[in-house]
Amino acid sequence: MSGIESIDYWTNIFTPAGLKKMYIENQELNRLVSWWNMDERLRGYSPEQFVGLMDELKIRKTFVPSFKMQSYKCKAPLLSITVDEVRYLMDKTGGRVGGLYGVDLSLGMDAVRELEIAVKEWGFSGAHVHSYGWGVPLNHRDLYPFYAKCVELDVPVVMQSGHSAEHMPSEMGRPIHLDDVALYFPELRIVASHTGWPWVQELIALAWKHPNLYIGAGAHAPKYWDPALVQFLNSRGQGKVLWGTDFPVVTHAESLKQVAALELKPQACAKLLRETAQNVFRLA
């Protein structure tokens, strides 16, 4: 372990019931369980147990999305982790869990209005986008009202980028689409997750170009991070990459252990694990 206090920008719902809903009952994610050897991780935690884990590993805070996923094949809802499920975790963990409002494009402006309520009244910390099942790229016009609302509320948007492990079109998450978004919304803090793989260098180029665009390293174990990403976050990309897990895809303990094994510069490690997230989420 690094010994540095950390912030995880993306942990999925971690309760046994929530994980069952997300990974066992979801036809797209269910096929990943055995493929990624996730059975043990799906045992999950109660809120109290998860806070204990955070204390043990020196994880200051994490953010859980009210995940919205549509089936690309039949254009029907595939997954809905509700705002109430996330609010419950926020309440039961004493603020150690923050909420990300999951964007449901089928609701149009009603969802934009609820995003504002989620931030202003329920204490959510940003928005979350999974574009693949909707069949729209990250620069699609249907997402612009949500981006504009995030600018107005001064909160970030976290999104999956790179390929889709689900049977959905990976082109929707290609990092280059974010060039348009970052240009149009220079005030919008964008966290492009999953390292952008396999277009890692494409995402690195965009993060270097745009002050408001950041790389989220979740969902990929650090031992598998592209060498170009490690070099970037350890040098001129300090302050541009956030540590995360996308639990249960990667466990917190293993991820932190593997980060320590990278032998990063102390300043780069501190920025990766905590300081960049503090900046993006405006944490004191």
Side-chain angles (χ1 to χ4, degrees):
M1 304 297 176
S2 68
I4 299 174
E5 184 185 59
S6 60
I7 297 170
D8 182 350
Y9 76 93
W10 181 347
T11 293
N12 288 308
I13 189 168
F14 50 77
T15 60
L19 288 170
K20 179 182 178 183
K21 180 179 181 180
M22 188 166 184
Y23 284 93
I24 302 301
E25 298 173 355
N26 182 329
Q27 64 190 40
E28 280 292 340
L29 294 181
N30 177 265
R31 67 185 186 83
L32 304 179
V33 174
S34 58
W35 180 22
W36 291 352
N37 300 310
M38 293 172 60
D39 300 85
E40 183 65 28
R41 284 167 268 168
L42 294 186
R43 293 179 182 272
Y45 303 90
S46 68
E48 296 76 17
Q49 289 172 329
F50 193 74
V51 169
L53 175 72
M54 294 176 75
D55 288 341
E56 177 186 348
L57 299 177
K58 297 183 179 180
I59 300 172
R60 171 182 169 186
K61 195 176 183 76
T62 190
F63 297 89
V64 174
S66 57
F67 212 118
K68 304 299 178 185
M69 182 185 292
Q70 177 171 274
S71 171
Y72 176 76
K73 297 176 182 177
C74 59
K75 306 301 181 185
L78 189 62
L79 174 66
S80 178
I81 302 299
T82 68
V83 292
D84 286 341
E85 288 174 288
V86 176
R87 291 176 69 188
Y88 171 80
L89 297 180
M90 294 165 64
D91 179 62
K92 291 296 182 180
T93 59
R96 299 287 291 281
V97 168
L100 298 174
Y101 178 80
V103 170
D104 183 341
L105 287 180
S106 71
L107 300 178
M109 285 302 297
D110 285 341
V112 177
R113 284 184 278 268
E114 189 173 57
L115 168 59
E116 181 169 15
I117 294 171
V119 172
K120 288 187 174 181
E121 299 183 19
W122 303 334
F124 276 55
S125 300
H128 176 271
V129 173
H130 185 276
S131 68
Y132 305 88
W134 306 101
V136 301
L138 292 169
N139 61 352
H140 194 274
R141 64 186 183 184
D142 287 356
L143 289 167
Y144 272 46
F146 296 95
Y147 296 153
K149 181 57 67 174
C150 284
V151 171
E152 181 183 319
L153 296 169
D154 192 29
V155 296
V157 57
V158 177
M159 58 189 64
Q160 184 172 329
S161 64
H163 88 123
S164 171
E166 304 87 10
H167 283 169
M168 299 176 183
S170 293
E171 176 64 26
M172 302 304 101
R174 179 135 191 187
I176 195 63
H177 297 307
L178 291 172
D179 198 30
D180 294 334
V181 179
L183 288 168
Y184 196 89
F185 297 101
E187 301 163 274
L188 176 64
R189 300 191 299 281
I190 304 165
V191 180
S193 186
H194 293 38
T195 77
W197 189 81
W199 301 291
V200 177
Q201 297 209 33
E202 186 171 283
L203 184 54
I204 289 172
L206 292 172
W208 178 82
K209 174 182 178 179
H210 297 290
N212 60 320
L213 197 155
Y214 301 83
I215 299 173
H220 290 260
K223 66 181 180 180
Y224 297 131
W225 288 352
D226 191 296
L229 177 63
V230 177
Q231 181 184 35
F232 181 67
L233 67 87
N234 201 33
S235 56
R236 64 175 177 166
Q238 290 186 33
K240 297 294 291 182
V241 183
L242 289 78
W243 171 74
T245 61
D246 197 24
F247 176 85
V249 178
V250 181
T251 68
H252 296 84
E254 278 299 307
S255 182
L256 289 170
K257 181 179 178 181
Q258 290 174 24
V259 167
L262 296 176
E263 299 183 346
L264 302 171
K265 299 172 184 176
Q267 183 178 1
C269 190
K271 289 183 180 298
L272 169 70
L273 292 179
R274 183 189 70 249
E275 294 174 10
T276 307
Q278 284 180 299
N279 176 43
V280 169
F281 289 97
R282 299 295 193 252
L283 300 175

